[in-house]
């Protein structure tokens, strides 16, 4: 069963290629969703797919290997809605 991960990434994550990097990782994992800049400086990541693949993405976001500098990542898990196609940067 697929799940939806909402993750909010705080740190120096805007203007450093973070959304592009996240999109590349998500596509490698076969996930659909988006990575969006938020007005407060965070990046919001929405991803749907198998839970283990979403967990791999979450681990990657926290890995220290991202562009910029991640201070923290908040997460919320819900059931997949099935309304997403591809993975886009917003």
């Amino acid at each position: 069963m697929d799940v939806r991960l909402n993750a909010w990434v705080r740190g120096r994550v805007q203007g450093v290629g973070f959304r592009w990097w996240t999109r590349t990782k998500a596509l490698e994992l076969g996930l659909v969703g988006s990575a969006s800049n938020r007005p407060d400086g965070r990046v919001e990541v929405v991803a749907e797919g198998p839970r283990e693949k979403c967990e791999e993405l979450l681990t990657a976001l926290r890995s220290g290997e991202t562009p910029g500098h991640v201070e923290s990542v908040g997460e919320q898990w819900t059931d997949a809605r099935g309304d997403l196609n591809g993975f886009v940067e917003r």
Side-chain angles (χ1 to χ4, degrees), residues 1 3 6 8 10 16 24-25 33 38 44 57-60 64-65 74 77 79 82 84 88:
M1 185 172 108
V3 298
N6 284 75
W8 295 271
R10 185 177 302 278
V16 293
T24 300
K25 267 295 188 214
R38 306 301 301 157
E44 181 179 7
L57 179 61
L58 188 58
T59 298
E65 299 173 6
W77 296 90
D79 292 336
L84 302 171
V88 298

Side-chain angles (χ1 to χ4, degrees), residues 38-64:
R38 306 301 301 157
D40 63 5
R42 295 181 298 170
V43 169
E44 181 179 7
V45 178
V46 178
E48 281 192 2
R51 180 158 186 125
E52 71 267 9
K53 296 297 184 183
C54 287
E55 287 175 352
E56 284 184 53
L57 179 61
L58 188 58
T59 298
L61 294 174
R62 292 177 168 149
S63 69

Side-chain angles (χ1 to χ4, degrees), residues 5 7 18-36 43-49 54 57 61 84-90:
L5 166 66
F18 186 87
R19 290 177 302 148
W20 176 86
W21 180 90
T22 301
R23 178 180 181 270
T24 300
K25 267 295 188 214
L27 291 173
E28 286 173 7
L29 293 167
L31 300 173
V32 295
S34 63
S36 311
V43 169
E44 181 179 7
V45 178
V46 178
E48 281 192 2
C54 287
L57 179 61
L61 294 174
L84 302 171
N85 292 307
F87 202 97
V88 298
E89 295 174 55
R90 294 193 174 129

